[in-house]
Amino acid sequence: MPAEPVFQPLPTVPDHPALEEAILAWWDDASIFAKLRERNHGGPTFSFMDGPITANNPAGVHHGHGRTLKDVFQRYKAMQGYDQRYQNGFDSQGLWVEVEVEKELGLGSKREIEEYGMAAFARRCRERVAHYSELITQQCRRLGQWMDWDNDYYTFSDTNIEYIWGFLKIVHERGWLYRGHRSTQWCPRCGTSLSQHEQAGEENYVEMEHPSLFVRFPLVGREEEALVVWTTTPWTLPANVAAAVKPDAEYGLTEDGRWVAVARFPDETFTRTARGDELVGLEYVGPFDDLAAQDGVRHRVIPWDEVSLDEGTGIVHIAPGAGAEDFDLSKVFDLPVLAPIDEAGRMLPAYGPFAGLTTTEVARPVVDTLRVRGILAGEGTIVHRYPICWRCKTPLVFRVVDDWFISAEEIRQPMLDANDTVAWTPPQYKKRMDDWLRNMGDWNISRKRYFGLPLPFYPCECGRLNVVGSRKELEERAVSGLDELEELHRPWIDAVRIRCEACDAEVERIPEVGDAWLDAGIVDFSTLGWHNPEWREHGYATGASAGLSGADLPDQAYWEKWYPADWVSEMREQIRLWFYSQCFMAVTLTGVSPYRSVLTYEKVFDEKGRAMHKSTGNAIGLDEALERMGADVMRWLYCAQTPSEPLKFGYDLADDVKRRFLTFWNSAKFFVEYANVDGFRPSWSALNLDGELAPLDRWLVERTHAFVLDTEAAYDAFDTVTIMRAYEAYADDLSNWYIRRSRPRFWQEGGDEAAFHTLWYALVQTLRALAPILPFVTDHLWRNLVQDGPESVHLAGWPEVEEPDRALLDELADVRRVVTLAHQARASAGLSLRQPLRRLVVEGAPLAAAHAEEIAGETNVKEVEFGAVEAELRVKPNLPVLGPRLGKELRTVQQALQAGEFEQLDGGRFRVAGHELGPGEALVERMGLEGWAVASADGLSVALDTALDDELVLEGRVRDLIRQVNAMRKEQGLELTDRIVLTVPGELEPLLRWEQRIKDEVLAVEIRLDGGSELAIRKV
């Protein structure tokens, strides 16, 4: 061995976290990312728009999933030479941030926020964003994500807010903006309404137990008759104004005077029946007519086709002030709207003894009053799915309020048309987006909160709604408050008054702030400088983001260069959130989709498939995972699982990844050890192999080219799953075929330079292909294996390879299939691979015939014969596959197969009972004849002659001896080049017929016979 090894020796197992920390430090010291950006500057562009991560808490492993995927494809495109922006985004205002700051300060209501002071509260929100944006940055760096971290965009910047103002002015000019009076989902803790897209996710519904009440509504003028309604929300009963029946349903009067739907009570005895429309118009006595809120209300029966006969009594209690559908009915039937609760979810003064109670607290007093009045017909509880606030998880109520909306009527079809131009991965998510767009309601854009986008709406008593479209316009029209305008947030913006453009009166801004998805939806315009006439240094980092980022505001030419995004990627739930808001705003402003392609994916669960929650003890923090697993292991997990299914994540899975990675690591370790022994020193300038190659070397080169091209196609399709599958298959071929078949070429004195060069070439090209997914360990190995080339694998560029010889690869694939089946046959017969056998018969692999010698060596047989395998054939239908295709005919096919009434065709096909069964549609089992072990799959069969004679047994013992001696060398810590004297007991003398072979394979200079019974080795 040379005095100084060419390559640094590799440990048996990589310490992923430690090597990653070292690579991170080296990346920074050597400015690798900066060099990459400089190299690609001016090249073809790949435009990626980052969906902003909320800077309100540390990032979790679910964030790591998305951040990894974003980094993978940006790294891949960078290796191909694409110029990129790398701008990270932080969501930095709205309920996300407000709720966490309230927790910090111990505040529990909007009143307490106002007592604390809006200015102080806003500053605490800014401080939290600053703290967690820095923390998340460090976490993402540790994960290996390369971004332009000093120039992030923050959605609370004044520039971002101004761009939204401009958008809102445009929708106002188009007549889409309106103030709506309606019943909407309301969070009593946050004190604000919530929009359809915020609340639509299944994660915003939980199982809850509520009261289940049956209440009698006595009919006016009908002695002893009453409607019976059912409700799970007792707090709404004091606001009841009507009862709804299904017009075409049959209702019955029970013997004790209860009107109910006959279909709901089939075993009940009815004294008479009537259609629902016959009950319409009847009046009844309300349950709480004594309340001041009920003054002047006439309770009556109304028709409603949507009354369900699947639950309750078939008669629905209607309270328009406490339900969206009820409110819609009030407009149809001119019903009074009684709003029973304030913004904190407490009953209003007009509700007498219930005033001041929350919707939960009021349940028991309501029930007690109903019981005292003799109209409580039944009481119990029910467990059902109920909506909770997406941010604070408080159970929601319905409340009638005035909110600001953007009409979706005119934009709906253009958005659908735009979505038709987008390539979705996985493709089925396009339909989800289409479904959302077809069914979306008008966009509720207002929130009755504090630290958010201030809506620039200044209504005037003259009837004019003044909408300010920019800060410049605000300054031009302002009459007061500009001097104290610290930034475009409350409370400072509230002090700015402007003049009405219609009557010149002073007007003030409405107090509401905007939906946070306006903040994120505009970034395709605000970060790229849409309609900005000239570049402004640090022009994006304004207002609250000043000092946090150095982001410039580019100009219109820059926007035209980078818009629309070539690619975006976020979780599936963003279909109704960021992807939707982006699309809404972009189609409004430009008429085209803001993105050309989308990769979306499902949630991260624990390794048992359960949702991660701190309360259940199965949540894993991102920092913890990085420390215990390492980033590369996490990235493997993120990239190897199908994006349309929940991703399983955990330490057992991580340990499995580490074991699987050892296949490639050990291949590199093998190369390093033997290259150091031989003194082999490869040159980057001679990367590609020239001249005539040995057959096995040529196969590995072609196999490597196929792997590179297959991964390239998968990267282009944003398909990491296929990449990881291709990699594992390739790593297996490299280790368990090429290296195992070539070992003697590395062991021999002086080594085989062609073998070293071929293996080095394969390792280096694999590192380049894997670098986007496993950036740390690939660079760690690169710096060791490539000593005179690019200093980092990420600066090496994407490998350019020739189209492989697919025919050769198909041949060797058949060879490997034969070998695999032969190993299965051995296992079924209980024969070790070290035991030589006489004969192997192969049927169904004609391409493998030219490789009989290789097959013999790999299967440890003396002779390989290609011909018919004599075996008993048993064929069964693959029921899950054939059942849907054959239907009733399946039974006939099954019986014919059992009777052996079938014809075997080429390619693993069978003809039976008039049907042709293709590969995979039949389960084939071949039973070997006496003295033979048979295995088969997919039209290929092999048979091993299992008979053993004395010579075969003796040769098997030689192989066992070699294995035992090499294990002893390893146990005693001998170097690869150390020579030994081997002492064997006298009983092994017959094995010395193969003395030279034994010496060669254990590096023995001498073999001695000893009368003892112990095997011994001694270093010389």
Side-chain angles (χ1 to χ4, degrees):
M1 181 182 293
E4 287 294 327
V6 178
F7 305 100
Q8 287 299 313
L10 296 177
T12 302
V13 176
D15 182 343
H16 289 281
L19 74 83
E20 288 166 7
E21 291 286 4
I23 289 293
L24 275 174
W26 176 70
W27 281 346
D28 286 344
D29 292 344
S31 302
I32 299 301
F33 181 45
K35 291 174 181 176
L36 177 68
R37 296 193 69 185
E38 182 180 355
R39 188 196 72 181
N40 291 345
H41 181 68
T45 60
F46 177 71
S47 178
F48 165 72
M49 181 58 68
D50 183 39
I53 185 173
T54 307
N56 67 333
N57 276 310
V61 293
H62 60 293
H63 295 110
H65 186 193
R67 298 258 131 183
T68 292
L69 293 176
K70 294 174 182 182
D71 187 61
V72 163
F73 292 103
Q74 289 192 106
R75 283 180 179 272
Y76 166 65
K77 289 296 183 180
M79 291 186 75
Q80 290 187 312
Y82 283 88
D83 193 1
Q84 299 177 72
R85 297 179 59 248
Y86 294 104
Q87 188 174 32
N88 174 74
F90 286 115
D91 249 332
S92 44
Q93 60 186 9
L95 275 177
W96 287 294
V97 178
E98 288 192 75
V99 170
E100 296 303 321
V101 172
E102 287 179 72
K103 291 178 185 177
E104 270 184 12
L105 298 173
L107 307 178
S109 68
K110 290 170 67 175
R111 176 182 57 80
E112 292 177 358
I113 292 174
E114 292 174 6
E115 289 174 354
Y116 180 81
M118 274 195 280
F121 184 73
R123 293 188 179 104
R124 289 298 294 265
C125 289
R126 288 196 317 233
E127 290 169 6
R128 186 176 183 90
V129 168
H131 173 75
Y132 282 105
S133 62
E134 178 59 28
L135 176 59
I136 291 169
T137 296
Q138 296 308 315
Q139 290 179 302
C140 293
R141 286 177 183 268
R142 176 63 187 86
L143 186 65
Q145 187 180 19
W146 275 350
M147 297 292 270
D148 186 5
W149 294 111
D150 295 328
N151 293 298
D152 312 283
Y153 73 78
Y154 288 79
T155 59
F156 64 11
S157 83
D158 279 3
T159 302
N160 203 65
I161 290 170
E162 281 193 76
Y163 268 89
I164 303 168
W165 282 6
F167 165 78
L168 293 172
K169 190 176 183 72
I170 289 172
V171 298
H172 174 55
E173 291 168 350
R174 295 185 185 179
W176 298 357
L177 182 68
Y178 69 93
R179 190 183 190 196
H181 181 73
R182 61 178 66 179
S183 182
T184 185
Q185 283 186 323
W186 183 274
C187 176
R189 198 220 68 85
C190 297
T192 187
S193 57
L194 302 168
S195 63
Q196 177 189 9
H197 58 263
E198 288 174 311
Q199 286 300 132
E202 59 186 29
E203 68 277 6
N204 297 323
Y205 286 80
V206 296
E207 295 287 325
M208 298 189 71
E209 184 176 27
H210 283 130
S212 173
L213 306 181
F214 293 86
V215 184
R216 295 169 63 96
F217 289 173
L219 289 171
V220 174
R222 294 198 177 193
E223 196 71 24
E224 302 300 326
E225 294 184 23
L227 307 172
V228 178
V229 301
W230 173 68
T231 184
T232 61
T233 53
W235 67 273
T236 65
L237 286 169
N240 171 268
V241 300
V245 295
K246 194 174 184 67
D248 58 355
E250 184 180 21
Y251 291 83
L253 181 66
T254 65
E255 292 178 342
D256 60 354
R258 293 176 292 117
W259 279 100
V260 293
V262 172
R264 292 294 302 145
F265 300 89
D267 299 328
E268 187 68 73
T269 300
F270 298 103
T271 59
R272 73 173 187 271
T273 61
R275 280 172 52 95
D277 51 17
E278 296 178 58
L279 301 179
V280 171
L282 295 179
E283 295 186 5
Y284 62 88
V285 179
F288 294 100
D289 283 352
D290 57 322
L291 298 177
Q294 289 282 350
D295 286 349
V297 175
R298 289 173 54 246
H299 301 84
R300 57 193 172 96
V301 179
I302 63 171
W304 188 26
D305 291 333
E306 300 305 316
V307 170
S308 172
L309 299 181
D310 295 327
E311 60 183 5
T313 66
I315 304 176
V316 178
H317 133 67
I318 302 298
E325 293 172 319
D326 304 42
F327 183 79
D328 292 340
L329 288 170
S330 74
K331 292 189 287 186
V332 175
F333 296 104
D334 194 25
L335 303 175
V337 177
L338 307 185
I341 57 175
D342 64 14
E343 68 173 22
R346 295 184 177 274
M347 302 294 285
L348 293 168
Y351 290 84
F354 308 133
L357 299 177
T358 67
T359 56
T360 300
E361 294 168 345
V362 80
R364 181 45 52 190
V366 165
V367 172
D368 291 344
T369 303
L370 295 173
R371 183 179 292 108
V372 168
R373 294 179 177 177
I375 58 175
L376 183 63
E379 176 187 6
T381 61
I382 184 173
V383 176
H384 58 168
R385 288 179 61 74
Y386 194 82
I388 57 174
C389 175
W390 66 270
R391 182 63 257 170
C392 73
K393 309 307 178 187
T394 299
L396 301 182
V397 295
F398 275 90
R399 186 165 180 260
V400 175
V401 292
D402 292 334
D403 279 323
W404 291 89
F405 295 84
I406 302 175
S407 170
E409 191 61 32
E410 291 185 35
I411 196 68
R412 188 185 314 277
Q413 189 56 51
M415 289 177 72
L416 284 163
D417 294 342
N419 195 47
D420 283 341
T421 69
V422 177
W424 284 82
T425 304
Q428 62 266 33
Y429 287 112
K430 178 187 181 298
K431 183 179 184 300
R432 282 183 180 261
M433 183 65 161
D434 284 340
D435 290 344
W436 174 256
L437 296 178
R438 289 191 182 97
N439 295 289
M440 67 181 181
D442 292 347
W443 188 351
N444 181 341
I445 62 168
S446 60
R447 303 290 180 270
K448 293 172 171 53
R449 291 295 301 186
Y450 305 101
F451 191 66
L453 159 79
L455 292 175
F457 304 157
Y458 293 76
C460 183
E461 290 182 356
C462 75
R464 173 63 64 92
L465 174 62
N466 297 272
V467 178
V468 173
S470 66
R471 180 170 185 141
K472 179 181 178 182
E473 181 183 349
L474 180 73
E475 293 171 349
E476 289 172 350
R477 297 175 61 180
V479 295
S480 63
L482 280 180
D483 292 342
E484 292 78 33
L485 188 57
E486 185 172 312
E487 61 191 55
L488 298 183
H489 281 108
R490 301 187 72 188
W492 306 284
I493 189 68
D494 294 345
V496 179
R497 299 170 67 89
I498 67 172
R499 292 204 178 277
C500 174
E501 56 192 349
C503 70
D504 211 34
E506 273 192 30
V507 290
E508 62 182 17
R509 196 189 71 84
I510 63 169
E512 286 91 340
V513 297
D515 177 13
W517 293 105
L518 288 166
D519 302 333
I522 200 64
V523 297
D524 297 277
F525 300 90
S526 62
T527 65
L528 301 178
W530 183 63
H531 283 187
N532 185 42
E534 59 183 34
W535 195 290
R536 284 166 42 201
E537 187 176 3
H538 310 315
Y540 184 90
T542 54
S545 72
L548 294 179
S549 170
D552 296 342
L553 178 63
D555 54 21
Q556 174 69 14
Y558 186 86
W559 178 84
E560 292 173 0
K561 177 181 179 180
W562 294 99
Y563 181 90
D566 292 306
W567 181 68
V568 293
S569 179
E570 295 293 338
M571 286 179 66
R572 184 254 301 164
E573 65 184 22
Q574 297 299 329
I575 287 173
R576 59 180 170 83
L577 297 169
W578 189 52
F579 297 144
Y580 155 73
S581 62
Q582 272 187 294
C583 185
F584 195 115
M585 299 176 88
V587 173
T588 297
L589 298 176
T590 68
V592 299
S593 171
Y595 37 76
R596 293 189 175 101
S597 56
V598 178
L599 170 63
T600 190
Y601 47 90
E602 293 294 330
K603 295 181 177 180
V604 175
F605 286 177
D606 73 8
E607 52 199 354
K608 295 181 180 178
R610 302 171 303 179
M612 285 190 181
H613 296 293
K614 291 181 181 178
S615 59
T616 56
N618 66 341
I620 299 175
L622 182 60
D623 290 340
E624 175 193 331
L626 286 165
E627 182 178 346
R628 287 184 57 182
M629 298 180 187
D632 279 333
V633 172
M634 294 173 67
R635 292 168 71 108
W636 178 312
L637 283 173
Y638 292 140
C639 291
Q641 299 185 54
T642 304
S644 59
E645 299 173 1
L647 184 143
K648 293 182 179 180
F649 188 93
Y651 293 113
D652 287 345
L653 290 170
D655 289 343
D656 180 59
V657 165
K658 291 175 184 178
R659 285 190 294 270
R660 288 153 65 188
F661 180 69
L662 286 178
T663 302
F664 183 77
W665 179 266
N666 288 336
S667 297
K669 187 174 187 297
F670 174 89
F671 169 82
V672 166
E673 289 175 346
Y674 285 97
N676 280 340
V677 169
D678 193 68
F680 176 72
R681 188 181 297 275
S683 170
W684 174 254
S685 61
L687 171 67
N688 295 314
L689 293 93
D690 298 321
E692 190 70 23
L693 297 177
L696 197 57
D697 293 344
R698 178 169 171 254
W699 169 80
L700 182 58
V701 170
E702 301 299 332
R703 182 69 181 87
T704 302
H705 291 176
F707 168 64
V708 169
L709 292 177
D710 290 346
T711 56
E712 183 176 342
Y715 277 118
D716 287 339
F718 304 107
D719 180 4
T720 57
V721 177
T722 295
I723 295 167
M724 296 311 296
R725 288 173 181 165
Y727 157 70
E728 291 204 75
Y730 175 79
D732 181 64
D733 281 350
L734 177 65
S735 172
N736 295 319
W737 189 258
Y738 181 79
I739 291 178
R740 193 174 76 241
R741 299 272 314 135
S742 303
R743 278 183 184 274
R745 300 169 65 195
F746 296 95
W747 292 341
Q748 68 188 25
E749 193 74 34
D752 183 332
E753 185 167 341
F756 279 114
H757 198 161
T758 302
L759 180 53
W760 179 75
Y761 175 82
L763 293 170
V764 167
Q765 299 295 54
T766 304
L767 292 177
R768 296 168 82 184
L770 270 187
I773 292 177
L774 307 179
F776 294 101
V777 72
T778 53
D779 225 3
H780 174 78
L781 291 172
W782 180 272
R783 296 183 68 203
N784 195 10
L785 297 181
V786 182
Q787 300 178 358
D788 66 341
E791 59 185 315
S792 166
V793 68
H794 306 291
L795 297 176
W798 185 255
E800 295 182 4
V801 299
E802 298 177 357
E803 184 64 32
D805 183 342
R806 298 284 180 179
L808 174 63
L809 295 179
D810 289 343
E811 281 184 27
L812 266 294
D814 262 12
V815 170
R816 292 218 61 191
R817 289 174 61 218
V818 169
V819 170
T820 298
L821 284 179
H823 290 169
Q824 291 177 13
R826 269 185 179 273
S828 70
L831 292 168
S832 166
L833 184 58
R834 292 188 298 278
Q835 175 58 62
L837 298 174
R838 285 291 171 202
R839 189 158 60 120
L840 171 70
V841 180
V842 179
E843 177 184 355
L847 295 178
H851 302 272
E853 184 178 343
E854 293 171 67
I855 294 171
E858 280 297 302
T859 59
N860 197 11
V861 299
K862 301 300 182 181
E863 178 186 352
V864 177
E865 175 185 323
F866 286 82
V869 169
E870 295 185 18
E872 180 184 348
L873 186 65
R874 296 178 184 176
V875 184
K876 299 177 182 179
N878 189 342
L879 298 178
V881 176
L882 278 179
R885 181 163 80 84
L886 297 184
K888 295 180 180 179
E889 287 290 301
L890 179 62
R891 181 65 179 163
T892 303
V893 168
Q894 190 172 26
Q895 291 173 342
L897 289 173
Q898 287 174 345
E901 298 170 353
F902 58 84
E903 178 186 357
Q904 186 174 6
L905 306 175
D906 293 337
R909 297 173 299 123
F910 296 88
R911 183 176 292 115
V912 54
H915 297 278
E916 183 176 306
L917 309 186
E921 293 183 323
L923 303 177
V924 181
E925 184 179 7
R926 291 178 181 265
M927 305 300 294
L929 302 180
E930 184 70 26
W932 291 84
V934 173
S936 61
D938 301 326
L940 171 63
S941 296
V942 301
L944 274 172
D945 181 352
T946 59
L948 295 176
D949 54 37
D950 291 344
E951 185 171 353
L952 290 175
V953 171
L954 201 60
E955 190 175 348
R957 292 176 63 193
V958 169
R959 289 189 174 228
D960 287 336
L961 173 64
I962 291 170
R963 178 178 179 275
Q964 186 178 359
V965 173
N966 281 328
M968 293 172 66
R969 289 178 59 96
K970 188 173 183 180
E971 289 169 2
Q972 294 183 24
L974 298 187
E975 297 289 343
L976 292 175
T977 53
D978 289 342
R979 267 40 181 182
I980 63 171
V981 171
L982 172 63
T983 302
V984 299
E987 65 184 31
L988 298 184
E989 183 176 4
L991 305 188
L992 296 187
R993 286 175 52 192
W994 290 272
E995 180 176 1
Q996 191 57 48
R997 176 178 172 185
I998 296 170
K999 285 181 175 180
D1000 290 344
E1001 297 210 24
V1002 303
L1003 295 186
V1005 297
E1006 180 183 357
I1007 300 179
R1008 298 175 181 173
L1009 278 174
D1010 184 18
S1013 60
E1014 293 296 325
L1015 198 65
I1017 64 173
R1018 178 175 58 83
K1019 178 182 173 182
V1020 294

